[in-house]
Amino acid sequence: MQLYIVHFNRFKENKFVYKKYKIIFLLIISAVILIGFFINLKINFYSFNNGNSVINDISTYCTKLKNSSNKYIGTNQKLYWQVKLNNAKDDYNILFAKLGLAKAELNLGGFDEAVSIIEEVLSSENFQSLPDTSKVMTYNSAALIYIKTSEVKNCVIPGGSIVCQLPTDNNYKQSYKIYSYKAIDVINEWLIIHPENLKAKWLLNLVYMSIGEYPESISKDLLIEVPGQNLSFVDTEFIDVSIESGIYNVDLAGGVIFDDFNNDGYADLITSTWDPCSSMKLYLNNGVNGFKDITENSNLSSQLGGLNIISTDYNNDGYLDIYVLRGGWLMKEGEMINSLLKNNGDMTFTDVTKDVNLADFAYPSQSASWGDYDNDGDLDLFICNESYKDENENIIYPSQLFNNNNNKFIDVSKQAGILNDRYCKSSDWGDYNNDGWIDLFISNFGDKNRLYVNLGNGLFEDKARNIGVTDPVYSFTSWFWDYDNDGDLDIFSSGYEFGIIKSIESFMGKVDSNHSLKLYENNGQGIYIDNTQNSGLLKVHSTMGANFADVNNDGYDDFYLGTGYPAFDALIPNAFYFNKEGLSFVDKTHIYGLGHIQKGHGVAFADYDLDGDLDIFEQMGGFYLSDGFTNILYQNSNSINNWIGIKLIGDKSGKIALGAKINFVCDNKNYNSIVESGGSFGSSSLMKVMGIQDCKNIDKLYITWPRDQSIQEINDISVNQYILIKETEIGYKKIKFKMGNKIE
């Protein structure tokens, strides 16, 4: 700044030059000052607390967003519609403003206020004289207000999330029905005008399900049959134990890590929410005593909310760290810095984002994945940003590949050839061709997916089109897995609908393949075969968060889908698919009691009670401030097959052994697993539980360590126990769990 002033004074000595260039210099100085001002604002906005913390004052950011017109949580949206209402001169604009105000109240949690406004509209003298389009708009808004209000009063406030579960019967139906009946009334009026409107039909069916009057109270011409609705709820194998376990909490959409943070073998829980006014939460697993909320003592209470969280061990100290992703869905308002939180080994965490060179960008992000792509023994990072091209073909918010160099991260995206310029929703590392170098699959929304093949020299090449894995066009969650247990990695990619019509049509047998699930089978020769239809997965579910695991210990991975999108009409049951010996998948959503109608987000699996079967945690909730919902912990209580639990500790391959392969043969059946955390928005436990059906003893078990592909042989292992295997030691040790004691 001083340099500009010195030069300016020199020019003033020459009157001609001064007069000629006075305006130019003043403009330059003004521009510099303005740039400096905005830079300073950005620095203050994303300031560092004591040189480390990404967000200096979480309440400051929260206040800014809440006092804005942000459609999800901004209180100015009420003011906007109130001004519209005050200035409205005719019936249509008055109606339009009142509906906007009612929706704003609904968005922000003013349920009674929203009901009052919508009922004022419905009972007004001139309502019946309005055109049908205005009536339909009103009935639609009224139905959603009544349905959401009923959900809150029946499920959220009482703490009885199971009441919002499908199917319902007399034991689980909603007890406070007044708003459900009001919803039925307005939906019927809507259907009089538009008798074939599919969304209206679905909402009507849904309301009758929630009060236990489905299907008998619905006329045949309006009935939509949901698979499994005639199954008895008592057949469920999963029971929600969130309240008695001490983890009951109401949050918005977010992520979860279901894993062991103090290395005592007990899976702890860390949850996050996109809500910038709410902190992350840490629940310590106390065994038979349930979970204890230790958020305050962990230093996580001041951490800004994040849409997603991913487990890692970036510094190879053997303790799981946390990577927090922020800004998804928010576009320009989503320019928030992600955070890397170091586990200090004592259940406290330190923000090291700045220290590791990851604080120099602020892009809206939804997903990330960790993997050692260069086989040097430490974990590298790919960040899946919501990228797009502007009118000049510039990439806005590019996805990024960071190389880990002695715990400092370097952006190598361009030189590595990874330039994903698309709206990235999820990513996953996996060695699809078994050449010892992990490859990267990227799921994009609204464009082709990508499979970047690792060439082993720091370079990648997109071969998705050649290999045949570009679809679905509207992709969201995805992962590598070996669903058929043949030793090579297959790909699952779930389509996504920004709405509910295609999901409803899917129930009725009409499937849009651009939005459907996709299952690609690896033929073992570098090519993928689309096995979606043959496996029974040609379905649309609007998947947001999802994950996979073998819940019945038969040796084949099943998967659970959390469904939804931000709007209040996103009321589609979550879905569970049972893997039938790698040949096909069967929808067992409702017989397992997993068909929750609230928006499902972070999904993770772990054996939190150490009984040899995998339990399910789901972070529920939507995006609007009022659309929070309860966390759910589904306890798996009905496993009859044998199992083996394996904890790996690496050396050259990294302490958490991410990417290590486990395989063995028992009773002439192959069993394969990889140390990984699973799907999108949920990190499952890295301590593997492998179902083995009736197998009584494992003669030979093989570990392929990821760094050098060396194979370690373990002999004579008894089943139904947890064992510890180290990369540098011969044999194995039986794990004796003791809460608080490190497994070594």
Side-chain angles (χ1 to χ4, degrees), residues 360-390:
D360 297 330
F361 60 94
Y363 300 156
S365 307
Q366 288 220 6
S367 179
S369 51
W370 294 82
D372 184 12
Y373 78 85
D374 52 1
N375 285 344
D376 64 351
D378 54 29
L379 295 178
D380 312 297
L381 171 65
F382 178 79
I383 304 177
C384 188
N385 296 319
E386 295 181 341
S387 313
Y388 66 94
K389 286 186 177 180
D390 65 11

PDB file of all heavy atoms in Angstrom, residues 360-390:
ATOM      1  N   ASP A 360      -6.447 -23.480   2.534  1.00  0.00           N
ATOM      2  CA  ASP A 360      -6.296 -22.407   1.551  1.00  0.00           C
ATOM      3  C   ASP A 360      -7.401 -22.367   0.513  1.00  0.00           C
ATOM      4  O   ASP A 360      -7.283 -21.673  -0.492  1.00  0.00           O
ATOM      5  CB  ASP A 360      -4.938 -22.537   0.850  1.00  0.00           C
ATOM      6  CG  ASP A 360      -3.776 -22.376   1.811  1.00  0.00           C
ATOM      7  OD1 ASP A 360      -3.933 -21.652   2.812  1.00  0.00           O
ATOM      8  OD2 ASP A 360      -2.710 -22.977   1.564  1.00  0.00           O
ATOM      9  N   PHE A 361      -8.470 -23.081   0.700  1.00  0.00           N
ATOM     10  CA  PHE A 361      -9.583 -23.069  -0.239  1.00  0.00           C
ATOM     11  C   PHE A 361     -10.878 -23.249   0.539  1.00  0.00           C
ATOM     12  O   PHE A 361     -10.884 -23.772   1.649  1.00  0.00           O
ATOM     13  CB  PHE A 361      -9.426 -24.169  -1.295  1.00  0.00           C
ATOM     14  CG  PHE A 361      -9.381 -25.555  -0.711  1.00  0.00           C
ATOM     15  CD1 PHE A 361     -10.529 -26.316  -0.597  1.00  0.00           C
ATOM     16  CD2 PHE A 361      -8.188 -26.083  -0.253  1.00  0.00           C
ATOM     17  CE1 PHE A 361     -10.488 -27.575  -0.031  1.00  0.00           C
ATOM     18  CE2 PHE A 361      -8.140 -27.348   0.313  1.00  0.00           C
ATOM     19  CZ  PHE A 361      -9.290 -28.096   0.415  1.00  0.00           C
ATOM     20  N   ALA A 362     -11.972 -22.804  -0.059  1.00  0.00           N
ATOM     21  CA  ALA A 362     -13.286 -22.916   0.578  1.00  0.00           C
ATOM     22  C   ALA A 362     -14.309 -23.244  -0.504  1.00  0.00           C
ATOM     23  O   ALA A 362     -14.930 -22.355  -1.085  1.00  0.00           O
ATOM     24  CB  ALA A 362     -13.643 -21.626   1.315  1.00  0.00           C
ATOM     25  N   TYR A 363     -14.458 -24.546  -0.768  1.00  0.00           N
ATOM     26  CA  TYR A 363     -15.366 -25.010  -1.806  1.00  0.00           C
ATOM     27  C   TYR A 363     -16.515 -25.803  -1.173  1.00  0.00           C
ATOM     28  O   TYR A 363     -16.296 -26.519  -0.193  1.00  0.00           O
ATOM     29  CB  TYR A 363     -14.649 -25.933  -2.793  1.00  0.00           C
ATOM     30  CG  TYR A 363     -13.479 -25.320  -3.521  1.00  0.00           C
ATOM     31  CD1 TYR A 363     -12.469 -26.130  -4.045  1.00  0.00           C
ATOM     32  CD2 TYR A 363     -13.364 -23.945  -3.706  1.00  0.00           C
ATOM     33  CE1 TYR A 363     -11.398 -25.596  -4.733  1.00  0.00           C
ATOM     34  CE2 TYR A 363     -12.293 -23.396  -4.383  1.00  0.00           C
ATOM     35  CZ  TYR A 363     -11.306 -24.229  -4.889  1.00  0.00           C
ATOM     36  OH  TYR A 363     -10.253 -23.691  -5.574  1.00  0.00           O
ATOM     37  N   PRO A 364     -17.730 -25.701  -1.720  1.00  0.00           N
ATOM     38  CA  PRO A 364     -18.804 -26.575  -1.235  1.00  0.00           C
ATOM     39  C   PRO A 364     -18.489 -28.038  -1.546  1.00  0.00           C
ATOM     40  O   PRO A 364     -18.286 -28.411  -2.700  1.00  0.00           O
ATOM     41  CB  PRO A 364     -20.041 -26.083  -2.008  1.00  0.00           C
ATOM     42  CG  PRO A 364     -19.539 -25.235  -3.088  1.00  0.00           C
ATOM     43  CD  PRO A 364     -18.189 -24.777  -2.774  1.00  0.00           C
ATOM     44  N   SER A 365     -18.436 -28.847  -0.485  1.00  0.00           N
ATOM     45  CA  SER A 365     -18.015 -30.243  -0.617  1.00  0.00           C
ATOM     46  C   SER A 365     -19.067 -31.159  -0.009  1.00  0.00           C
ATOM     47  O   SER A 365     -19.696 -30.814   0.993  1.00  0.00           O
ATOM     48  CB  SER A 365     -16.682 -30.485   0.094  1.00  0.00           C
ATOM     49  OG  SER A 365     -15.696 -29.575  -0.324  1.00  0.00           O
ATOM     50  N   GLN A 366     -19.231 -32.340  -0.576  1.00  0.00           N
ATOM     51  CA  GLN A 366     -20.140 -33.327  -0.016  1.00  0.00           C
ATOM     52  C   GLN A 366     -19.448 -34.613   0.395  1.00  0.00           C
ATOM     53  O   GLN A 366     -19.928 -35.329   1.256  1.00  0.00           O
ATOM     54  CB  GLN A 366     -21.245 -33.658  -1.019  1.00  0.00           C
ATOM     55  CG  GLN A 366     -22.255 -32.566  -1.204  1.00  0.00           C
ATOM     56  CD  GLN A 366     -23.680 -33.078  -1.324  1.00  0.00           C
ATOM     57  OE1 GLN A 366     -23.964 -34.235  -1.165  1.00  0.00           O
ATOM     58  NE2 GLN A 366     -24.588 -32.168  -1.597  1.00  0.00           N
ATOM     59  N   SER A 367     -18.319 -34.904  -0.215  1.00  0.00           N
ATOM     60  CA  SER A 367     -17.721 -36.202   0.030  1.00  0.00           C
ATOM     61  C   SER A 367     -16.205 -36.116  -0.124  1.00  0.00           C
ATOM     62  O   SER A 367     -15.672 -35.182  -0.724  1.00  0.00           O
ATOM     63  CB  SER A 367     -18.295 -37.236  -0.949  1.00  0.00           C
ATOM     64  OG  SER A 367     -17.743 -38.487  -0.789  1.00  0.00           O
ATOM     65  N   ALA A 368     -15.526 -37.104   0.431  1.00  0.00           N
ATOM     66  CA  ALA A 368     -14.079 -37.233   0.285  1.00  0.00           C
ATOM     67  C   ALA A 368     -13.713 -38.687   0.515  1.00  0.00           C
ATOM     68  O   ALA A 368     -14.491 -39.466   1.067  1.00  0.00           O
ATOM     69  CB  ALA A 368     -13.337 -36.326   1.261  1.00  0.00           C
ATOM     70  N   SER A 369     -12.532 -39.066   0.093  1.00  0.00           N
ATOM     71  CA  SER A 369     -12.068 -40.428   0.318  1.00  0.00           C
ATOM     72  C   SER A 369     -10.556 -40.415   0.529  1.00  0.00           C
ATOM     73  O   SER A 369      -9.823 -39.641  -0.090  1.00  0.00           O
ATOM     74  CB  SER A 369     -12.444 -41.348  -0.848  1.00  0.00           C
ATOM     75  OG  SER A 369     -12.060 -40.813  -2.082  1.00  0.00           O
ATOM     76  N   TRP A 370     -10.109 -41.290   1.424  1.00  0.00           N
ATOM     77  CA  TRP A 370      -8.702 -41.419   1.775  1.00  0.00           C
ATOM     78  C   TRP A 370      -8.164 -42.740   1.247  1.00  0.00           C
ATOM     79  O   TRP A 370      -8.817 -43.778   1.346  1.00  0.00           O
ATOM     80  CB  TRP A 370      -8.523 -41.364   3.291  1.00  0.00           C
ATOM     81  CG  TRP A 370      -8.865 -40.043   3.904  1.00  0.00           C
ATOM     82  CD1 TRP A 370     -10.120 -39.600   4.221  1.00  0.00           C
ATOM     83  CD2 TRP A 370      -7.972 -38.992   4.263  1.00  0.00           C
ATOM     84  NE1 TRP A 370     -10.041 -38.347   4.773  1.00  0.00           N
ATOM     85  CE2 TRP A 370      -8.734 -37.949   4.811  1.00  0.00           C
ATOM     86  CE3 TRP A 370      -6.582 -38.841   4.189  1.00  0.00           C
ATOM     87  CZ2 TRP A 370      -8.170 -36.762   5.274  1.00  0.00           C
ATOM     88  CZ3 TRP A 370      -6.014 -37.658   4.645  1.00  0.00           C
ATOM     89  CH2 TRP A 370      -6.802 -36.634   5.181  1.00  0.00           C
ATOM     90  N   GLY A 371      -6.954 -42.687   0.714  1.00  0.00           N
ATOM     91  CA  GLY A 371      -6.314 -43.901   0.233  1.00  0.00           C
ATOM     92  C   GLY A 371      -4.857 -43.627  -0.128  1.00  0.00           C
ATOM     93  O   GLY A 371      -4.493 -42.504  -0.481  1.00  0.00           O
ATOM     94  N   ASP A 372      -4.040 -44.638  -0.054  1.00  0.00           N
ATOM     95  CA  ASP A 372      -2.612 -44.504  -0.363  1.00  0.00           C
ATOM     96  C   ASP A 372      -2.393 -44.812  -1.839  1.00  0.00           C
ATOM     97  O   ASP A 372      -1.987 -45.911  -2.204  1.00  0.00           O
ATOM     98  CB  ASP A 372      -1.809 -45.442   0.534  1.00  0.00           C
ATOM     99  CG  ASP A 372      -0.301 -45.301   0.354  1.00  0.00           C
ATOM    100  OD1 ASP A 372       0.152 -44.339  -0.298  1.00  0.00           O
ATOM    101  OD2 ASP A 372       0.432 -46.187   0.864  1.00  0.00           O
ATOM    102  N   TYR A 373      -2.635 -43.809  -2.690  1.00  0.00           N
ATOM    103  CA  TYR A 373      -2.592 -44.082  -4.132  1.00  0.00           C
ATOM    104  C   TYR A 373      -1.172 -44.266  -4.647  1.00  0.00           C
ATOM    105  O   TYR A 373      -0.965 -44.873  -5.704  1.00  0.00           O
ATOM    106  CB  TYR A 373      -3.303 -42.968  -4.913  1.00  0.00           C
ATOM    107  CG  TYR A 373      -2.503 -41.690  -5.094  1.00  0.00           C
ATOM    108  CD1 TYR A 373      -1.605 -41.550  -6.142  1.00  0.00           C
ATOM    109  CD2 TYR A 373      -2.675 -40.604  -4.244  1.00  0.00           C
ATOM    110  CE1 TYR A 373      -0.883 -40.372  -6.323  1.00  0.00           C
ATOM    111  CE2 TYR A 373      -1.960 -39.440  -4.405  1.00  0.00           C
ATOM    112  CZ  TYR A 373      -1.065 -39.328  -5.441  1.00  0.00           C
ATOM    113  OH  TYR A 373      -0.344 -38.171  -5.607  1.00  0.00           O
ATOM    114  N   ASP A 374      -0.138 -43.747  -3.929  1.00  0.00           N
ATOM    115  CA  ASP A 374       1.238 -43.877  -4.389  1.00  0.00           C
ATOM    116  C   ASP A 374       2.023 -44.939  -3.622  1.00  0.00           C
ATOM    117  O   ASP A 374       3.244 -45.065  -3.812  1.00  0.00           O
ATOM    118  CB  ASP A 374       1.964 -42.531  -4.310  1.00  0.00           C
ATOM    119  CG  ASP A 374       1.863 -41.865  -2.930  1.00  0.00           C
ATOM    120  OD1 ASP A 374       1.238 -42.469  -2.018  1.00  0.00           O
ATOM    121  OD2 ASP A 374       2.398 -40.760  -2.765  1.00  0.00           O
ATOM    122  N   ASN A 375       1.351 -45.694  -2.754  1.00  0.00           N
ATOM    123  CA  ASN A 375       1.960 -46.809  -2.023  1.00  0.00           C
ATOM    124  C   ASN A 375       3.216 -46.405  -1.245  1.00  0.00           C
ATOM    125  O   ASN A 375       4.205 -47.131  -1.207  1.00  0.00           O
ATOM    126  CB  ASN A 375       2.290 -47.969  -2.967  1.00  0.00           C
ATOM    127  CG  ASN A 375       1.057 -48.745  -3.391  1.00  0.00           C
ATOM    128  OD1 ASN A 375      -0.006 -48.630  -2.781  1.00  0.00           O
ATOM    129  ND2 ASN A 375       1.181 -49.534  -4.456  1.00  0.00           N
ATOM    130  N   ASP A 376       3.147 -45.240  -0.598  1.00  0.00           N
ATOM    131  CA  ASP A 376       4.290 -44.825   0.217  1.00  0.00           C
ATOM    132  C   ASP A 376       4.025 -44.981   1.710  1.00  0.00           C
ATOM    133  O   ASP A 376       4.838 -44.574   2.534  1.00  0.00           O
ATOM    134  CB  ASP A 376       4.687 -43.383  -0.097  1.00  0.00           C
ATOM    135  CG  ASP A 376       3.609 -42.370   0.265  1.00  0.00           C
ATOM    136  OD1 ASP A 376       2.467 -42.790   0.600  1.00  0.00           O
ATOM    137  OD2 ASP A 376       3.888 -41.156   0.205  1.00  0.00           O
ATOM    138  N   GLY A 377       2.877 -45.575   2.059  1.00  0.00           N
ATOM    139  CA  GLY A 377       2.593 -45.881   3.451  1.00  0.00           C
ATOM    140  C   GLY A 377       1.793 -44.847   4.200  1.00  0.00           C
ATOM    141  O   GLY A 377       1.509 -45.042   5.386  1.00  0.00           O
ATOM    142  N   ASP A 378       1.423 -43.716   3.545  1.00  0.00           N
ATOM    143  CA  ASP A 378       0.559 -42.752   4.212  1.00  0.00           C
ATOM    144  C   ASP A 378      -0.656 -42.468   3.341  1.00  0.00           C
ATOM    145  O   ASP A 378      -0.685 -42.764   2.149  1.00  0.00           O
ATOM    146  CB  ASP A 378       1.299 -41.452   4.563  1.00  0.00           C
ATOM    147  CG  ASP A 378       1.993 -40.810   3.373  1.00  0.00           C
ATOM    148  OD1 ASP A 378       1.521 -40.978   2.233  1.00  0.00           O
ATOM    149  OD2 ASP A 378       3.014 -40.135   3.580  1.00  0.00           O
ATOM    150  N   LEU A 379      -1.682 -41.895   3.946  1.00  0.00           N
ATOM    151  CA  LEU A 379      -2.966 -41.738   3.281  1.00  0.00           C
ATOM    152  C   LEU A 379      -3.073 -40.395   2.575  1.00  0.00           C
ATOM    153  O   LEU A 379      -2.840 -39.334   3.167  1.00  0.00           O
ATOM    154  CB  LEU A 379      -4.104 -41.885   4.292  1.00  0.00           C
ATOM    155  CG  LEU A 379      -4.243 -43.270   4.932  1.00  0.00           C
ATOM    156  CD1 LEU A 379      -5.374 -43.279   5.956  1.00  0.00           C
ATOM    157  CD2 LEU A 379      -4.478 -44.348   3.883  1.00  0.00           C
ATOM    158  N   ASP A 380      -3.433 -40.461   1.313  1.00  0.00           N
ATOM    159  CA  ASP A 380      -3.692 -39.288   0.499  1.00  0.00           C
ATOM    160  C   ASP A 380      -5.196 -38.997   0.484  1.00  0.00           C
ATOM    161  O   ASP A 380      -6.006 -39.802   0.933  1.00  0.00           O
ATOM    162  CB  ASP A 380      -3.148 -39.506  -0.914  1.00  0.00           C
ATOM    163  CG  ASP A 380      -1.712 -40.038  -0.891  1.00  0.00           C
ATOM    164  OD1 ASP A 380      -0.814 -39.319  -0.395  1.00  0.00           O
ATOM    165  OD2 ASP A 380      -1.478 -41.187  -1.338  1.00  0.00           O
ATOM    166  N   LEU A 381      -5.556 -37.847  -0.061  1.00  0.00           N
ATOM    167  CA  LEU A 381      -6.930 -37.376   0.075  1.00  0.00           C
ATOM    168  C   LEU A 381      -7.483 -36.894  -1.260  1.00  0.00           C
ATOM    169  O   LEU A 381      -6.856 -36.086  -1.947  1.00  0.00           O
ATOM    170  CB  LEU A 381      -6.977 -36.226   1.089  1.00  0.00           C
ATOM    171  CG  LEU A 381      -8.276 -35.433   1.232  1.00  0.00           C
ATOM    172  CD1 LEU A 381      -9.398 -36.306   1.768  1.00  0.00           C
ATOM    173  CD2 LEU A 381      -8.054 -34.222   2.144  1.00  0.00           C
ATOM    174  N   PHE A 382      -8.659 -37.385  -1.613  1.00  0.00           N
ATOM    175  CA  PHE A 382      -9.421 -36.834  -2.724  1.00  0.00           C
ATOM    176  C   PHE A 382     -10.673 -36.170  -2.163  1.00  0.00           C
ATOM    177  O   PHE A 382     -11.411 -36.779  -1.386  1.00  0.00           O
ATOM    178  CB  PHE A 382      -9.822 -37.906  -3.737  1.00  0.00           C
ATOM    179  CG  PHE A 382     -10.651 -37.348  -4.873  1.00  0.00           C
ATOM    180  CD1 PHE A 382     -10.044 -36.681  -5.913  1.00  0.00           C
ATOM    181  CD2 PHE A 382     -12.027 -37.476  -4.878  1.00  0.00           C
ATOM    182  CE1 PHE A 382     -10.795 -36.152  -6.951  1.00  0.00           C
ATOM    183  CE2 PHE A 382     -12.787 -36.951  -5.901  1.00  0.00           C
ATOM    184  CZ  PHE A 382     -12.167 -36.288  -6.956  1.00  0.00           C
ATOM    185  N   ILE A 383     -10.921 -34.907  -2.566  1.00  0.00           N
ATOM    186  CA  ILE A 383     -12.094 -34.168  -2.110  1.00  0.00           C
ATOM    187  C   ILE A 383     -13.043 -33.989  -3.281  1.00  0.00           C
ATOM    188  O   ILE A 383     -12.696 -33.472  -4.333  1.00  0.00           O
ATOM    189  CB  ILE A 383     -11.716 -32.792  -1.529  1.00  0.00           C
ATOM    190  CG1 ILE A 383     -10.704 -32.962  -0.390  1.00  0.00           C
ATOM    191  CG2 ILE A 383     -12.959 -32.087  -1.004  1.00  0.00           C
ATOM    192  CD1 ILE A 383     -10.224 -31.655   0.188  1.00  0.00           C
ATOM    193  N   CYS A 384     -14.267 -34.413  -3.057  1.00  0.00           N
ATOM    194  CA  CYS A 384     -15.329 -34.413  -4.059  1.00  0.00           C
ATOM    195  C   CYS A 384     -16.133 -33.115  -3.911  1.00  0.00           C
ATOM    196  O   CYS A 384     -17.025 -33.021  -3.065  1.00  0.00           O
ATOM    197  CB  CYS A 384     -16.189 -35.646  -3.821  1.00  0.00           C
ATOM    198  SG  CYS A 384     -17.434 -36.053  -5.009  1.00  0.00           S
ATOM    199  N   ASN A 385     -15.820 -32.109  -4.726  1.00  0.00           N
ATOM    200  CA  ASN A 385     -16.468 -30.808  -4.641  1.00  0.00           C
ATOM    201  C   ASN A 385     -17.600 -30.679  -5.659  1.00  0.00           C
ATOM    202  O   ASN A 385     -17.645 -31.391  -6.663  1.00  0.00           O
ATOM    203  CB  ASN A 385     -15.451 -29.687  -4.853  1.00  0.00           C
ATOM    204  CG  ASN A 385     -14.397 -29.649  -3.772  1.00  0.00           C
ATOM    205  OD1 ASN A 385     -14.690 -29.819  -2.590  1.00  0.00           O
ATOM    206  ND2 ASN A 385     -13.148 -29.424  -4.154  1.00  0.00           N
ATOM    207  N   GLU A 386     -18.486 -29.741  -5.405  1.00  0.00           N
ATOM    208  CA  GLU A 386     -19.633 -29.524  -6.288  1.00  0.00           C
ATOM    209  C   GLU A 386     -19.213 -28.633  -7.454  1.00  0.00           C
ATOM    210  O   GLU A 386     -19.580 -27.459  -7.559  1.00  0.00           O
ATOM    211  CB  GLU A 386     -20.797 -28.936  -5.497  1.00  0.00           C
ATOM    212  CG  GLU A 386     -21.328 -29.915  -4.435  1.00  0.00           C
ATOM    213  CD  GLU A 386     -22.492 -29.392  -3.649  1.00  0.00           C
ATOM    214  OE1 GLU A 386     -22.702 -28.165  -3.624  1.00  0.00           O
ATOM    215  OE2 GLU A 386     -23.211 -30.203  -3.034  1.00  0.00           O
ATOM    216  N   SER A 387     -18.467 -29.221  -8.375  1.00  0.00           N
ATOM    217  CA  SER A 387     -17.837 -28.498  -9.471  1.00  0.00           C
ATOM    218  C   SER A 387     -18.815 -28.231 -10.618  1.00  0.00           C
ATOM    219  O   SER A 387     -19.765 -28.971 -10.845  1.00  0.00           O
ATOM    220  CB  SER A 387     -16.642 -29.287 -10.010  1.00  0.00           C
ATOM    221  OG  SER A 387     -15.816 -29.764  -8.983  1.00  0.00           O
ATOM    222  N   TYR A 388     -18.517 -27.170 -11.358  1.00  0.00           N
ATOM    223  CA  TYR A 388     -19.231 -26.884 -12.602  1.00  0.00           C
ATOM    224  C   TYR A 388     -18.372 -25.932 -13.429  1.00  0.00           C
ATOM    225  O   TYR A 388     -17.380 -25.376 -12.944  1.00  0.00           O
ATOM    226  CB  TYR A 388     -20.612 -26.276 -12.339  1.00  0.00           C
ATOM    227  CG  TYR A 388     -20.596 -24.901 -11.704  1.00  0.00           C
ATOM    228  CD1 TYR A 388     -20.654 -23.747 -12.479  1.00  0.00           C
ATOM    229  CD2 TYR A 388     -20.517 -24.752 -10.320  1.00  0.00           C
ATOM    230  CE1 TYR A 388     -20.631 -22.483 -11.911  1.00  0.00           C
ATOM    231  CE2 TYR A 388     -20.500 -23.501  -9.734  1.00  0.00           C
ATOM    232  CZ  TYR A 388     -20.561 -22.364 -10.534  1.00  0.00           C
ATOM    233  OH  TYR A 388     -20.536 -21.119  -9.967  1.00  0.00           O
ATOM    234  N   LYS A 389     -18.757 -25.742 -14.694  1.00  0.00           N
ATOM    235  CA  LYS A 389     -18.053 -24.816 -15.577  1.00  0.00           C
ATOM    236  C   LYS A 389     -18.888 -23.555 -15.770  1.00  0.00           C
ATOM    237  O   LYS A 389     -20.103 -23.628 -15.967  1.00  0.00           O
ATOM    238  CB  LYS A 389     -17.770 -25.472 -16.925  1.00  0.00           C
ATOM    239  CG  LYS A 389     -16.657 -26.505 -16.897  1.00  0.00           C
ATOM    240  CD  LYS A 389     -16.349 -26.999 -18.303  1.00  0.00           C
ATOM    241  CE  LYS A 389     -15.190 -27.989 -18.304  1.00  0.00           C
ATOM    242  NZ  LYS A 389     -14.875 -28.472 -19.677  1.00  0.00           N
ATOM    243  N   ASP A 390     -18.219 -22.387 -15.720  1.00  0.00           N
ATOM    244  CA  ASP A 390     -18.928 -21.140 -15.964  1.00  0.00           C
ATOM    245  C   ASP A 390     -19.045 -20.886 -17.457  1.00  0.00           C
ATOM    246  O   ASP A 390     -18.664 -21.725 -18.286  1.00  0.00           O
ATOM    247  CB  ASP A 390     -18.258 -19.975 -15.230  1.00  0.00           C
ATOM    248  CG  ASP A 390     -16.847 -19.682 -15.740  1.00  0.00           C
ATOM    249  OD1 ASP A 390     -16.435 -20.220 -16.796  1.00  0.00           O
ATOM    250  OD2 ASP A 390     -16.130 -18.895 -15.082  1.00  0.00           O
TER     251      ASP A 390
END
